[in-house]
Amino acid sequence: MRTVAVLLLGLVLILPGCIEMPSDDHGHEAEFNGLQYQPPISAPDFTLTDQNGNNVSLSDSDGKVVVVGFTYTHCPDVCLVVEANMNFVKSQLGDDASNVAFISISIDPARDTPEHLLNWTNQMGYDWPHLTSENHMTLMAMWDSWGIAVDNDHINSNHSDHGEANNSSSGDNGTDDDEHDDSSEHGEHGEEAVEEYTVGHSTVTFILDQDGNKRVAWVGSDWSTAEFLEDVETLLDDQTEHSGH
């Protein structure tokens, strides 16, 4: 098995904008438990395909707090923890659940087809949108716009029908071997014949406010679901205060 180390680049590269560590070392109570954007920055909109084959845009969730994670289903460890954390936080929202949207975005479109994502989410019991795209260039542009570093060796540039041929200006975006090309065609049964590989990527889970701004980022998977939930509730409280005015 080819192992690719997770790319944990410096926060300046991964997270565009100014990030402040929450701190009370100087007597100031932190507004958020995670890494806070100062000032908040607008999250780029996107339109991708969910596990049911429907188009989903970030702007569909305008007016809600939005949790956005970048994962992939064949991940052996970190992504599975992030997905489980998101599921737990979602389960704890109670009456606030309708005011919070959860979105998972694949960094492995060659294997994470809508059909596979549907089977996987049903198996795991996850009911929020898990997004991918047949046009891998669309996904790569989306990752870049969000500051997510992905080792693109698994992306096969020979998918010319997906608009990926002649990808000579993609910078760090590489290509993988031809055998990965079959994953989207063979579905669940064909995946057993596809070479196993891991995908190096920056592991960041974002919390957006109701205006679509990045407010908090949680890096890695070793984070407290209780503290993450507090950050979501803080933004929900802000929404209640604003609507009260």
Side-chain angles (χ1 to χ4, degrees), residues 197-216:
Y197 57 90
T198 55
V199 182
H201 64 107
S202 52
T203 305
V204 187
T205 307
F206 299 92
I207 308 178
L208 314 183
D209 63 21
Q210 298 84 352
D211 296 321
N213 296 314
K214 293 181 181 180
R215 296 293 299 277
V216 191

PDB file of all heavy atoms in Angstrom, residues 197-216:
ATOM      1  N   TYR A 197      -5.039   3.198  -1.817  1.00  0.00           N
ATOM      2  CA  TYR A 197      -4.108   4.295  -1.623  1.00  0.00           C
ATOM      3  C   TYR A 197      -4.710   5.262  -0.631  1.00  0.00           C
ATOM      4  O   TYR A 197      -5.929   5.296  -0.426  1.00  0.00           O
ATOM      5  CB  TYR A 197      -3.809   5.015  -2.948  1.00  0.00           C
ATOM      6  CG  TYR A 197      -5.032   5.558  -3.668  1.00  0.00           C
ATOM      7  CD1 TYR A 197      -5.501   6.850  -3.414  1.00  0.00           C
ATOM      8  CD2 TYR A 197      -5.716   4.776  -4.588  1.00  0.00           C
ATOM      9  CE1 TYR A 197      -6.615   7.343  -4.072  1.00  0.00           C
ATOM     10  CE2 TYR A 197      -6.833   5.263  -5.248  1.00  0.00           C
ATOM     11  CZ  TYR A 197      -7.283   6.544  -4.987  1.00  0.00           C
ATOM     12  OH  TYR A 197      -8.392   7.022  -5.637  1.00  0.00           O
ATOM     13  N   THR A 198      -3.862   6.005   0.024  1.00  0.00           N
ATOM     14  CA  THR A 198      -4.337   7.042   0.924  1.00  0.00           C
ATOM     15  C   THR A 198      -4.102   8.399   0.274  1.00  0.00           C
ATOM     16  O   THR A 198      -3.298   8.531  -0.652  1.00  0.00           O
ATOM     17  CB  THR A 198      -3.620   6.983   2.280  1.00  0.00           C
ATOM     18  OG1 THR A 198      -2.197   7.038   2.068  1.00  0.00           O
ATOM     19  CG2 THR A 198      -3.974   5.704   3.022  1.00  0.00           C
ATOM     20  N   VAL A 199      -4.806   9.400   0.759  1.00  0.00           N
ATOM     21  CA  VAL A 199      -4.743  10.738   0.174  1.00  0.00           C
ATOM     22  C   VAL A 199      -4.252  11.724   1.231  1.00  0.00           C
ATOM     23  O   VAL A 199      -4.904  11.918   2.255  1.00  0.00           O
ATOM     24  CB  VAL A 199      -6.127  11.182  -0.353  1.00  0.00           C
ATOM     25  CG1 VAL A 199      -6.018  12.559  -0.996  1.00  0.00           C
ATOM     26  CG2 VAL A 199      -6.681  10.165  -1.335  1.00  0.00           C
ATOM     27  N   GLY A 200      -3.099  12.311   0.968  1.00  0.00           N
ATOM     28  CA  GLY A 200      -2.600  13.326   1.881  1.00  0.00           C
ATOM     29  C   GLY A 200      -3.385  14.620   1.712  1.00  0.00           C
ATOM     30  O   GLY A 200      -3.601  15.083   0.596  1.00  0.00           O
ATOM     31  N   HIS A 201      -3.801  15.200   2.813  1.00  0.00           N
ATOM     32  CA  HIS A 201      -4.576  16.445   2.729  1.00  0.00           C
ATOM     33  C   HIS A 201      -4.548  17.147   4.071  1.00  0.00           C
ATOM     34  O   HIS A 201      -4.309  16.536   5.108  1.00  0.00           O
ATOM     35  CB  HIS A 201      -6.035  16.164   2.334  1.00  0.00           C
ATOM     36  CG  HIS A 201      -6.799  15.355   3.348  1.00  0.00           C
ATOM     37  ND1 HIS A 201      -7.769  15.899   4.165  1.00  0.00           N
ATOM     38  CD2 HIS A 201      -6.718  14.041   3.680  1.00  0.00           C
ATOM     39  CE1 HIS A 201      -8.268  14.956   4.948  1.00  0.00           C
ATOM     40  NE2 HIS A 201      -7.651  13.816   4.679  1.00  0.00           N
ATOM     41  N   SER A 202      -4.775  18.458   4.034  1.00  0.00           N
ATOM     42  CA  SER A 202      -4.908  19.208   5.276  1.00  0.00           C
ATOM     43  C   SER A 202      -6.288  18.927   5.853  1.00  0.00           C
ATOM     44  O   SER A 202      -7.295  18.986   5.152  1.00  0.00           O
ATOM     45  CB  SER A 202      -4.714  20.704   5.024  1.00  0.00           C
ATOM     46  OG  SER A 202      -5.542  21.162   3.976  1.00  0.00           O
ATOM     47  N   THR A 203      -6.317  18.581   7.120  1.00  0.00           N
ATOM     48  CA  THR A 203      -7.570  18.199   7.773  1.00  0.00           C
ATOM     49  C   THR A 203      -8.116  19.398   8.538  1.00  0.00           C
ATOM     50  O   THR A 203      -7.649  19.728   9.629  1.00  0.00           O
ATOM     51  CB  THR A 203      -7.342  17.015   8.729  1.00  0.00           C
ATOM     52  OG1 THR A 203      -6.734  15.941   8.014  1.00  0.00           O
ATOM     53  CG2 THR A 203      -8.663  16.533   9.313  1.00  0.00           C
ATOM     54  N   VAL A 204      -9.083  20.060   7.952  1.00  0.00           N
ATOM     55  CA  VAL A 204      -9.672  21.256   8.549  1.00  0.00           C
ATOM     56  C   VAL A 204     -11.186  21.146   8.484  1.00  0.00           C
ATOM     57  O   VAL A 204     -11.745  20.787   7.441  1.00  0.00           O
ATOM     58  CB  VAL A 204      -9.226  22.545   7.819  1.00  0.00           C
ATOM     59  CG1 VAL A 204      -9.715  23.780   8.578  1.00  0.00           C
ATOM     60  CG2 VAL A 204      -7.715  22.595   7.645  1.00  0.00           C
ATOM     61  N   THR A 205     -11.840  21.431   9.594  1.00  0.00           N
ATOM     62  CA  THR A 205     -13.305  21.482   9.642  1.00  0.00           C
ATOM     63  C   THR A 205     -13.708  22.908   9.991  1.00  0.00           C
ATOM     64  O   THR A 205     -13.256  23.463  10.994  1.00  0.00           O
ATOM     65  CB  THR A 205     -13.857  20.503  10.700  1.00  0.00           C
ATOM     66  OG1 THR A 205     -13.324  19.199  10.470  1.00  0.00           O
ATOM     67  CG2 THR A 205     -15.381  20.445  10.633  1.00  0.00           C
ATOM     68  N   PHE A 206     -14.522  23.505   9.126  1.00  0.00           N
ATOM     69  CA  PHE A 206     -14.895  24.903   9.265  1.00  0.00           C
ATOM     70  C   PHE A 206     -16.285  25.053   9.884  1.00  0.00           C
ATOM     71  O   PHE A 206     -17.160  24.221   9.651  1.00  0.00           O
ATOM     72  CB  PHE A 206     -14.910  25.598   7.899  1.00  0.00           C
ATOM     73  CG  PHE A 206     -13.594  25.611   7.184  1.00  0.00           C
ATOM     74  CD1 PHE A 206     -13.253  24.603   6.291  1.00  0.00           C
ATOM     75  CD2 PHE A 206     -12.680  26.637   7.389  1.00  0.00           C
ATOM     76  CE1 PHE A 206     -12.039  24.610   5.621  1.00  0.00           C
ATOM     77  CE2 PHE A 206     -11.462  26.658   6.722  1.00  0.00           C
ATOM     78  CZ  PHE A 206     -11.146  25.642   5.837  1.00  0.00           C
ATOM     79  N   ILE A 207     -16.457  26.145  10.614  1.00  0.00           N
ATOM     80  CA  ILE A 207     -17.791  26.554  11.050  1.00  0.00           C
ATOM     81  C   ILE A 207     -18.048  27.938  10.463  1.00  0.00           C
ATOM     82  O   ILE A 207     -17.289  28.883  10.725  1.00  0.00           O
ATOM     83  CB  ILE A 207     -17.933  26.598  12.576  1.00  0.00           C
ATOM     84  CG1 ILE A 207     -17.470  25.282  13.209  1.00  0.00           C
ATOM     85  CG2 ILE A 207     -19.396  26.882  12.963  1.00  0.00           C
ATOM     86  CD1 ILE A 207     -17.529  25.280  14.741  1.00  0.00           C
ATOM     87  N   LEU A 208     -19.106  28.041   9.660  1.00  0.00           N
ATOM     88  CA  LEU A 208     -19.483  29.301   9.026  1.00  0.00           C
ATOM     89  C   LEU A 208     -20.663  29.918   9.760  1.00  0.00           C
ATOM     90  O   LEU A 208     -21.529  29.206  10.286  1.00  0.00           O
ATOM     91  CB  LEU A 208     -19.875  29.071   7.561  1.00  0.00           C
ATOM     92  CG  LEU A 208     -18.983  28.189   6.694  1.00  0.00           C
ATOM     93  CD1 LEU A 208     -19.516  28.162   5.271  1.00  0.00           C
ATOM     94  CD2 LEU A 208     -17.546  28.636   6.737  1.00  0.00           C
ATOM     95  N   ASP A 209     -20.721  31.238   9.749  1.00  0.00           N
ATOM     96  CA  ASP A 209     -21.868  31.899  10.357  1.00  0.00           C
ATOM     97  C   ASP A 209     -23.027  31.989   9.364  1.00  0.00           C
ATOM     98  O   ASP A 209     -22.933  31.513   8.224  1.00  0.00           O
ATOM     99  CB  ASP A 209     -21.493  33.275  10.912  1.00  0.00           C
ATOM    100  CG  ASP A 209     -21.027  34.259   9.841  1.00  0.00           C
ATOM    101  OD1 ASP A 209     -21.350  34.062   8.647  1.00  0.00           O
ATOM    102  OD2 ASP A 209     -20.336  35.242  10.202  1.00  0.00           O
ATOM    103  N   GLN A 210     -24.109  32.605   9.803  1.00  0.00           N
ATOM    104  CA  GLN A 210     -25.336  32.644   9.002  1.00  0.00           C
ATOM    105  C   GLN A 210     -25.192  33.502   7.749  1.00  0.00           C
ATOM    106  O   GLN A 210     -26.016  33.417   6.842  1.00  0.00           O
ATOM    107  CB  GLN A 210     -26.492  33.167   9.870  1.00  0.00           C
ATOM    108  CG  GLN A 210     -26.804  32.293  11.071  1.00  0.00           C
ATOM    109  CD  GLN A 210     -25.913  32.589  12.278  1.00  0.00           C
ATOM    110  OE1 GLN A 210     -24.943  33.344  12.200  1.00  0.00           O
ATOM    111  NE2 GLN A 210     -26.235  31.983  13.413  1.00  0.00           N
ATOM    112  N   ASP A 211     -24.141  34.316   7.702  1.00  0.00           N
ATOM    113  CA  ASP A 211     -23.892  35.148   6.526  1.00  0.00           C
ATOM    114  C   ASP A 211     -22.901  34.507   5.565  1.00  0.00           C
ATOM    115  O   ASP A 211     -22.465  35.139   4.601  1.00  0.00           O
ATOM    116  CB  ASP A 211     -23.372  36.521   6.963  1.00  0.00           C
ATOM    117  CG  ASP A 211     -24.399  37.292   7.774  1.00  0.00           C
ATOM    118  OD1 ASP A 211     -25.597  37.214   7.431  1.00  0.00           O
ATOM    119  OD2 ASP A 211     -24.006  37.952   8.759  1.00  0.00           O
ATOM    120  N   GLY A 212     -22.532  33.256   5.818  1.00  0.00           N
ATOM    121  CA  GLY A 212     -21.631  32.555   4.924  1.00  0.00           C
ATOM    122  C   GLY A 212     -20.170  32.909   5.111  1.00  0.00           C
ATOM    123  O   GLY A 212     -19.360  32.728   4.197  1.00  0.00           O
ATOM    124  N   ASN A 213     -19.812  33.408   6.306  1.00  0.00           N
ATOM    125  CA  ASN A 213     -18.426  33.774   6.584  1.00  0.00           C
ATOM    126  C   ASN A 213     -17.736  32.676   7.391  1.00  0.00           C
ATOM    127  O   ASN A 213     -18.331  32.079   8.293  1.00  0.00           O
ATOM    128  CB  ASN A 213     -18.361  35.073   7.386  1.00  0.00           C
ATOM    129  CG  ASN A 213     -18.919  36.252   6.617  1.00  0.00           C
ATOM    130  OD1 ASN A 213     -18.612  36.437   5.442  1.00  0.00           O
ATOM    131  ND2 ASN A 213     -19.752  37.048   7.278  1.00  0.00           N
ATOM    132  N   LYS A 214     -16.460  32.434   7.065  1.00  0.00           N
ATOM    133  CA  LYS A 214     -15.657  31.542   7.902  1.00  0.00           C
ATOM    134  C   LYS A 214     -15.412  32.227   9.239  1.00  0.00           C
ATOM    135  O   LYS A 214     -14.878  33.331   9.293  1.00  0.00           O
ATOM    136  CB  LYS A 214     -14.318  31.235   7.234  1.00  0.00           C
ATOM    137  CG  LYS A 214     -14.407  30.413   5.964  1.00  0.00           C
ATOM    138  CD  LYS A 214     -13.013  30.144   5.409  1.00  0.00           C
ATOM    139  CE  LYS A 214     -13.047  29.341   4.126  1.00  0.00           C
ATOM    140  NZ  LYS A 214     -11.694  29.090   3.586  1.00  0.00           N
ATOM    141  N   ARG A 215     -15.818  31.557  10.319  1.00  0.00           N
ATOM    142  CA  ARG A 215     -15.634  32.132  11.650  1.00  0.00           C
ATOM    143  C   ARG A 215     -14.667  31.325  12.510  1.00  0.00           C
ATOM    144  O   ARG A 215     -13.928  31.895  13.304  1.00  0.00           O
ATOM    145  CB  ARG A 215     -16.984  32.233  12.358  1.00  0.00           C
ATOM    146  CG  ARG A 215     -17.969  33.173  11.683  1.00  0.00           C
ATOM    147  CD  ARG A 215     -17.512  34.618  11.757  1.00  0.00           C
ATOM    148  NE  ARG A 215     -17.391  35.094  13.121  1.00  0.00           N
ATOM    149  CZ  ARG A 215     -18.423  35.548  13.822  1.00  0.00           C
ATOM    150  NH1 ARG A 215     -19.637  35.621  13.270  1.00  0.00           N
ATOM    151  NH2 ARG A 215     -18.253  35.977  15.071  1.00  0.00           N
ATOM    152  N   VAL A 216     -14.725  29.992  12.357  1.00  0.00           N
ATOM    153  CA  VAL A 216     -13.895  29.126  13.204  1.00  0.00           C
ATOM    154  C   VAL A 216     -13.353  27.976  12.356  1.00  0.00           C
ATOM    155  O   VAL A 216     -14.049  27.475  11.464  1.00  0.00           O
ATOM    156  CB  VAL A 216     -14.699  28.538  14.384  1.00  0.00           C
ATOM    157  CG1 VAL A 216     -13.764  27.870  15.387  1.00  0.00           C
ATOM    158  CG2 VAL A 216     -15.549  29.593  15.074  1.00  0.00           C
TER     159      VAL A 216
END
